[in-house]
Amino acid sequence: MKNESYSRIYKSQEYLSSLGTIRFRSLFGSYSLTINDTVFAMVAEGELYLRACEQSVPYCAKHSPVWLRFMKRGRPVMLNYYQVDESLWSDQQQLIRLSKYSLDAALQEKHSRYSQQRLKDLPNITFHLESILNEAGINDVGTLRILGAKMCWLRLRQMNKSITDKILYILEGAIYGIHEAALPAERRQELALWVKSLSKENLYPLKNE
């Protein structure tokens, strides 16, 4: 498996060379890929995983990706990295674009002053919701802001199909520091239409449909 991971690393360096010099190091039994000392991807068990961000929502919504996980105290923990499958490898332009999104988001989070703030300190976020978000690999305010409400909601829905669109409004309100009921009607409608479009395509059908 180690040889397979090295092979995947070298392939990543070749395909993504336009982004900059990619270096790697061992991390938690896997390998982190960095550009200018910023981690934007991981290689684990011979597979490449890109860092998730708000800009990668359209891709993740359509492909229901496999998320990188590791064991912590006997429990699987989901990380904010999604697997690059063979269809994405065959579309190098798309792969480069998504990788650039990952790199930019990683740089943004690196410089974010909100990184260590607890989620429960935001409006709308209860201890229970914070716990669920933690299980989905969303552990702090910086991560919530970088991923955006849509990506966070998609991750929660992959874990629990009973998550409703109300949680999406709650997350959006938390990001902007307001109660979900105070979300502007235009933004709420935009989010509702987005969820409805996913449901129509049967990507993330709502429970009552």
Side-chain angles (χ1 to χ4, degrees), residues 28-112:
F28 304 133
S30 304
Y31 297 89
S32 63
L33 301 190
T34 65
I35 294 178
N36 296 327
D37 293 322
T38 301
V39 179
F40 74 100
M42 297 283 293
V43 171
E45 298 184 348
E47 299 294 342
L48 175 66
Y49 295 80
L50 292 178
R51 189 185 188 97
C53 62
E54 188 172 8
Q55 289 75 17
S56 54
V57 165
Y59 175 83
C60 291
K62 289 185 177 181
H63 294 83
S64 188
V66 174
W67 298 91
L68 180 59
R69 299 171 186 268
F70 77 99
M71 298 300 293
K72 182 177 181 181
R73 298 174 184 173
R75 296 183 60 187
V77 176
M78 183 188 298
L79 301 183
N80 290 318
Y81 293 83
Y82 61 93
Q83 184 178 328
V84 175
D85 60 18
E86 290 306 315
S87 64
L88 184 51
W89 276 112
S90 65
D91 187 348
Q92 189 171 358
Q93 186 176 3
Q94 170 94 316
L95 177 58
I96 292 173
R97 181 167 57 252
L98 290 171
S99 299
K100 181 64 163 56
Y101 292 154
S102 298
L103 178 59
D104 289 346
L107 285 167
Q108 183 182 346
E109 183 173 359
K110 192 175 182 179
H111 295 100
S112 172

Side-chain angles (χ1 to χ4, degrees), residues 132-143:
I132 295 174
L133 287 166
N134 289 167
E135 290 179 11
I138 304 157
N139 298 301
D140 50 56
V141 175
T143 302

Side-chain angles (χ1 to χ4, degrees), residues 168-184:
L168 179 60
Y169 308 143
I170 285 174
L171 296 174
E172 183 77 1
I175 288 173
Y176 287 99
I178 60 176
H179 190 277
E180 61 93 8
L183 274 179

